Amino acid sequence: MSERKIGVVGGGLMGHGIAYLLAAAGHDVCVFEPVAASRASLPQRLHAIAALFGDDPAHLRRISAHDQLAPAVKDAAFVFEAAPERLSLKQRIFADLESAVAPDTVLASNSSAIPSSDIGRNLKYRQRVIGAHFWNPPHLVPLVEVIENEKTSGEVVNKTMELLRHAGKTPVHVHRDIPGFVGNRLQHAMKREAIALVAAGICDAETIDIVVREGPGARMAVLGPMEQSDLVGLDLTLDIAEVLYAHLDRTPGPHPFLREKVKDGKLGMKTGEGLRTWTAESADAVRQRLSRFFVEQAKARRKGSV
Ligand SMILES: NC(=O)c1ccc[n+]([C@@H]2O[C@H](COP(=O)([O-])OP(=O)(O)OC[C@H]3O[C@@H](n4cnc5c(N)ncnc54)[C@H](O)[C@@H]3O)[C@@H](O)[C@H]2O)c1
């Protein structure tokens, strides 16, 4: 794929990682970040990613930071928006983008929850608006959900998928813009059951983590649930579903156990207690473990051994 100019709107947690991975793929990336302190810390945050991978930081020269939107996105083939999660703000950004880019520039939102059709509702050229949901940290997690809305053209879906594939990501095409897309729906279906099990006293929260990590999670990186169902046979899958589904949690809305935790200020690692209890050291050990795992996986993927 030829090198392109790409705009990134918002240089925060997601935006700086997206900028890094696109520059590493050979593109010129201009980041619009209105907050001076975030702009100032961008080079240091980008260098930290290069150090994590052991990359030559030379390609960071392809990334520039801007305090104005229009120069950052001028002549861009794609813009990835990673600004704060507020509909009115994103709508304003997309309106400003439309007046600063060509009619065929792809405008992709990294929103976790806001449909891109709502973000682009008032635009003139709506066929180029699409969702591109990266997972955190975007330079380490391979998946990007590419979410088509009812106005997105097939060409824009294909172009976005191709760009991301070329940048080493694993893009998937989500055909409709539904809340939670695919990944978060699956993740929260499991969390819902996990919280209900702990609330009912069936096991403690640590046991849930062991069961997932050492059981189904141990194979999930190489065996998705659809393959796994076909592997064991759909007859067995149906037999289990007949017995089990009636017993799964169906609490409407978030479980009272979760609401109670939040009401009591038990928010997780940042307050020392959530579903489990944490010290600064044990919380840090989890972060380190996750980071090491991601980096090893990403390096292996680059070498083609995963
Ligand atoms: N954090 C995650 O785990 C995660 C995962 C997937 C998707 N997302 C989505 O990505 C988007 C960004 O999230 P984040 O976690 O990077 O947030 P963040 O707060 O770390 O970054 C947002 C950045 O946007 C900047 N900003 C503020 N106003 C702006 C404006 N008017 N125009 C452009 N930039 C502006 C902020 O200064 C900040 O640097 C959100 O839509 C979020 O839902 C986040």
Side-chain angles (χ1 to χ4, degrees):
M1 161 175 266
S2 56
E3 288 145 21
R4 322 292 285 270
K5 177 174 168 191
I6 298 180
V8 172
V9 177
L13 188 65
M14 299 302 289
H16 88 288
I18 294 169
Y20 186 93
L21 70 94
L22 292 169
H27 304 289
D28 286 329
V29 183
C30 298
V31 180
F32 165 55
E33 169 54 63
V35 175
S38 300
R39 266 196 322 279
S41 68
L42 190 62
Q44 183 208 336
R45 290 182 285 133
L46 293 168
H47 273 92
I49 301 179
L52 207 60
F53 284 121
D55 281 351
D56 179 353
H59 68 268
L60 296 182
R61 281 200 294 271
R62 285 198 281 270
I63 304 176
S64 54
H66 298 254
D67 62 357
Q68 298 294 318
L69 180 70
V73 298
K74 186 174 181 293
D75 301 327
F78 291 84
V79 177
F80 289 92
E81 171 271 315
E85 187 77 342
R86 289 199 305 279
L87 175 61
S88 58
L89 173 69
K90 288 187 191 283
Q91 283 178 329
R92 210 165 52 239
I93 290 170
F94 272 60
D96 291 346
L97 282 172
E98 184 151 76
S99 60
V101 298
D104 63 347
T105 300
V106 175
L107 302 181
S109 175
N110 182 44
S111 171
S112 308
I114 305 172
S116 65
S117 50
D118 287 348
I119 296 171
R121 195 186 303 138
N122 302 319
L123 299 196
K124 189 165 168 207
Y125 302 107
R126 296 183 60 185
Q127 74 285 351
R128 43 64 172 276
V129 177
I130 194 164
H133 181 238
F134 291 78
W135 285 63
N136 181 30
H139 46 286
L140 293 176
V141 183
L143 181 68
V144 186
E145 293 171 286
V146 174
I147 307 119
E148 177 178 349
N149 70 51
E150 72 271 15
K151 300 281 185 192
T152 314
S153 74
E155 190 197 348
V156 165
V157 173
N158 293 338
K159 277 204 285 196
T160 309
M161 300 275 291
E162 193 196 342
L163 177 90
L164 293 167
R165 211 175 284 118
H166 173 261
K169 307 312 287 179
T170 306
V172 294
H173 179 188
V174 180
H175 297 261
R176 264 198 295 144
D177 204 347
I178 55 167
F181 316 132
V182 175
N184 265 323
R185 286 175 92 102
L186 294 172
Q187 181 169 249
H188 281 270
M190 187 173 67
K191 280 195 189 186
R192 177 192 215 185
E193 185 61 30
I195 287 169
L197 287 169
V198 174
I202 309 299
C203 64
D204 61 18
E206 189 177 355
T207 301
I208 295 278
D209 287 338
I210 294 170
V211 167
V212 174
R213 286 206 317 265
E214 306 292 321
R219 64 184 182 214
M220 268 186 188
V222 290
L223 189 71
M226 305 286 101
E227 298 176 299
Q228 193 268 342
S229 299
D230 278 348
L231 182 73
V232 298
L234 293 189
D235 43 353
L236 175 60
T237 301
L238 176 60
D239 286 346
I240 295 171
E242 294 277 20
V243 177
L244 190 58
Y245 281 16
H247 301 281
L248 294 178
D249 183 57
R250 274 160 218 216
T251 310
H255 200 286
F257 183 77
L258 176 61
R259 289 194 191 282
E260 198 65 21
K261 289 272 182 197
V262 173
K263 191 160 79 60
D264 293 346
K266 295 177 178 170
L267 305 182
M269 293 184 186
K270 61 186 164 191
T271 58
E273 187 178 342
L275 294 163
R276 299 176 55 173
T277 48
W278 302 98
T279 61
E281 291 74 29
S282 64
D284 197 45
V286 170
R287 292 191 189 96
Q288 298 283 340
R289 188 177 74 209
L290 182 64
S291 175
R292 263 198 318 273
F293 173 78
F294 274 148
V295 172
E296 279 162 21
Q297 290 283 308
K299 283 183 177 167
R301 214 171 297 110
R302 281 176 171 200
K303 281 195 207 138
S305 56
V306 168

